[in-house]
Amino acid sequence: MCGIIGVSAVPDAGRVAYLGLYALQHRGQESCGIVTLDQSTRPHVQRGMGLVSEVFNEEVLGTLPGDVAVGHTRYSTSGTTVLANAQPSLVNYRGGLLTLAHNGDLTNAVALRHELVEQGAIFSSSSDSEVIVHLIARSTGPDVEHQIRVALERVEGAYSLIISVGRDIYAAVDGRGFRPLALARLGDGIVVASESCAFDLMGATKLRELTPGEFVRIRNGVIHNLAPLPVKPVSRCVFELVYFSRPDSTIFGESVDRVRRQLGRELAKEHPAPGADVVFSVPDSANAMALGFHEESGIKLEYGLIRNHYVGRTFITPTQALRVAKVRIKFNPVREVIEGKRVVVVDDSLVRGTTSKGLVQMIRGAGAREVHLRLGSPPITGPCYYGIDTPTRAELIAATHSHEEIRDYLGVDTLGYLSLEGMLRAAGTANRFCHACFSGQYPVPVDEASDRSRHLSPLAPSLA
Ligand code: AMP
């Protein structure tokens, strides 16, 4: 998953993009970068491994002049954890200087890469995004708009994109609209961001979200609507609302906070925990769900777990051993809330089960009499091929174990997941959603074997 930012016609665009990336840090903590363009279209670049606060400081921001910027925070879904994959990508092609920031995963990237390499293309990274750059550069379209359009008509899967060519910014969302992207006004300029929470920090006023298949050009702070990309059946990613996006964002026309609260209410209806003394969340993504559960059930809401915010997301650590260690430094139970109580613990989702198992052990260690785990989404039984970093099917606990085995493994008294219907009801009727990771209904066909092979080596791994 990634966070992307575009800035057009705003003084000190590098600093504006930096603030936007700060707000989108949750969408990717592996690497980040900003490219700015000054009046003479000269690029200024900073990309690095780590958090926005690690890669940028006052001195670095001073080296990023210009009123046009493209920014990116990355969390690898395809491609490996190396600087070569950090974005924005920056190349020179016949249309001029091109930068590209991509959020999503292409389902036909392996095949396209293979074809391009056969034709003599040289790749410097293993990320999907470089495939798009090559397709644009090779496209025979008469102008930049057509070159991008021809490239995007060849790629399949999920993309929300910000591309600059010269000083123009192009923004596009795939025809199914998997990932969010929105436009806002800032002074005389325009900014584009993955989530609306970025606009608040940038001081921008949200205009609207891009609709599935929408393609726009922003020139000197003016938005030009271009002919849309081929329309496909809409499939917004429901996991953006369940887990990924920030609760202070509005995406797909829905307040993330409101949806999560409703998920908690639905959960309490489907899996009440009669007789429980307290309910609390696994912070932070499930906070609003626990609140909804409390509102519906009347069970007292407490803060039973305190999260150390300086650790980062446990999922991001590459090895299983590190992941286990990180659970202990990330959460600490509040003994006064838990001791002697029958507790309901609300989390948004169950992936590998590692975090939850560690948490349950800690909660029992703090003296809980009973532990009832409630999840605000159905069991995750399949990987995501459209941009969320879920592990392989073999590592997904709900794909390989029965309900009773999982309950036993986690060490909880009862275990309840929200049903698919309940989740979709909470997510609202205004959208059609992709729920492939829960239901196995993949809106874009994928070849599991070839897709996963992309993770193995930094450069064109699937070509062997
Ligand atoms: P686990 O107990 O190991 O299955 O981990 C579940 C936790 O991981 C939940 O608290 C979720 O909030 C979180 N989670 C779910 N999906 C992701 C993801 N794609 N990236 C990072 N964390 C996730």
Side-chain angles (χ1 to χ4, degrees):
M1 185 56 73
C2 301
I4 57 176
I5 297 280
V7 182
S8 166
V10 180
D12 220 350
R15 268 172 223 276
V16 172
Y18 162 76
L19 289 177
L21 291 185
Y22 236 108
L24 298 183
Q25 185 72 83
H26 62 291
R27 296 185 71 87
Q29 298 93 359
E30 179 186 295
S31 65
C32 56
I34 295 175
V35 176
T36 60
L37 300 156
D38 59 26
Q39 291 290 341
S40 58
T41 323
R42 208 175 5 191
H44 306 272
V45 190
Q46 177 71 15
R47 283 177 295 220
M49 302 302 291
L51 302 175
V52 177
S53 59
E54 293 164 338
V55 173
F56 296 95
N57 55 34
E58 193 50 43
E59 197 187 328
V60 170
L61 290 171
T63 66
L64 298 172
D67 63 343
V68 174
V70 177
H72 193 266
T73 58
R74 179 166 199 272
Y75 170 161
S76 66
T77 45
S78 69
T80 41
T81 309
V82 290
L83 186 58
N85 284 335
Q87 293 188 30
S89 309
L90 173 68
V91 296
N92 259 307
Y93 88 115
R94 70 184 186 291
L97 189 88
L98 180 148
T99 68
L100 180 142
H102 173 208
N103 175 208
D105 252 1
L106 306 180
T107 49
N108 63 343
V110 172
L112 287 173
R113 180 185 277 262
H114 205 303
E115 184 187 312
L116 288 161
V117 169
E118 286 296 314
Q119 293 166 2
I122 296 169
F123 280 85
S124 61
S125 79
S126 63
S127 80
D128 284 4
S129 320
E130 204 180 351
V131 172
I132 305 178
V133 172
H134 274 284
L135 290 174
I136 297 171
R138 280 160 186 260
S139 136
T140 51
D143 53 34
V144 173
E145 176 194 334
H146 284 90
Q147 288 154 12
I148 296 177
R149 183 182 302 283
V150 167
L152 296 184
E153 281 171 1
R154 292 219 55 206
V155 300
E156 273 291 347
Y159 56 82
S160 282
L161 285 171
I162 298 175
I163 300 170
S164 73
V165 179
R167 291 171 44 75
D168 289 346
I169 295 227
Y170 294 82
V173 173
D174 68 79
R176 292 181 176 82
F178 281 103
R179 305 277 151 233
L181 196 62
L183 297 162
R185 174 154 296 288
L186 180 56
D188 293 331
I190 293 290
V191 292
V192 195
S194 297
E195 285 182 45
S196 62
C197 66
F199 300 144
D200 300 335
L201 193 52
M202 295 156 115
T205 308
K206 184 174 171 182
L207 295 171
R208 62 185 177 83
E209 292 186 57
L210 273 83
T211 53
E214 192 167 353
F215 183 28
V216 300
R217 180 181 57 229
I218 306 156
R219 179 172 289 167
N220 293 325
V222 178
I223 302 168
H224 303 265
N225 297 316
L226 307 176
L229 301 166
V231 177
K232 311 262 169 74
V234 170
S235 52
R236 301 296 210 174
C237 168
V238 74
F239 206 61
E240 288 273 357
L241 290 165
V242 169
Y243 169 76
F244 215 86
S245 295
R246 259 173 56 161
D248 49 341
S249 287
T250 298
I251 59 155
F252 309 148
E254 302 286 344
S255 149
V256 178
D257 172 76
R258 293 290 124 169
V259 169
R260 290 204 185 143
R261 198 182 288 207
Q262 197 52 35
L263 288 164
R265 284 181 161 276
E266 295 281 348
L267 187 56
K269 283 187 212 159
E270 288 187 12
H271 298 283
D277 302 305
V278 290
V279 54
F280 56 83
S281 67
V282 177
D284 291 319
S285 43
N287 289 351
M289 291 180 197
L291 180 56
F293 196 99
H294 148 77
E295 286 171 350
E296 184 64 35
S297 65
I299 299 171
K300 191 174 174 202
L301 180 70
E302 294 263 20
Y303 295 111
L305 290 169
I306 300 302
R307 177 174 170 176
N308 181 342
H309 284 98
Y310 306 97
V311 182
R313 288 182 173 188
T314 56
F315 212 89
I316 284 130
T317 52
T319 68
Q320 190 72 12
L322 264 176
R323 213 174 277 123
V324 173
K326 269 205 165 181
V327 176
R328 300 214 178 90
I329 53 171
K330 191 166 159 185
F331 296 105
N332 203 31
V334 183
R335 182 169 277 277
E336 290 64 26
V337 169
I338 293 173
E339 196 159 25
K341 304 272 176 51
R342 289 164 294 197
V343 305
V344 180
V345 183
V346 179
D347 203 354
D348 57 87
S349 56
L350 192 66
V351 186
R352 292 182 171 88
T354 352
T355 313
S356 313
K357 186 180 173 67
L359 282 172
V360 172
Q361 280 169 354
M362 278 182 356
I363 292 165
R364 289 222 183 264
R369 191 139 61 93
E370 290 173 15
V371 181
H372 304 276
L373 183 62
R374 297 290 178 268
L375 297 152
S377 59
I380 299 182
T381 49
C384 175
Y385 298 103
Y386 316 125
I388 299 274
D389 178 33
T390 36
T392 57
R393 200 178 299 276
E395 294 169 88
L396 291 168
I397 191 166
T400 49
H401 294 78
S402 70
H403 186 92
E404 203 41 37
E405 284 169 342
I406 298 172
R407 195 195 59 70
D408 210 46
Y409 170 77
L410 298 177
V412 292
D413 294 277
T414 65
L415 169 68
Y417 302 88
L418 184 58
S419 66
L420 188 63
E421 299 70 36
M423 178 180 70
L424 294 176
R425 243 191 329 272
T429 50
N431 286 297
R432 293 231 308 279
F433 286 102
C434 171
H435 39 73
C437 55
F438 303 113
S439 64
Q441 295 164 23
Y442 288 92
V444 186
V446 280
D447 171 0
E448 254 186 63
S450 73
D451 193 86
R452 284 289 140 182
S453 67
R454 281 187 292 165
H455 293 255
L456 300 178
S457 114
L459 288 177
S462 55
L463 302 177

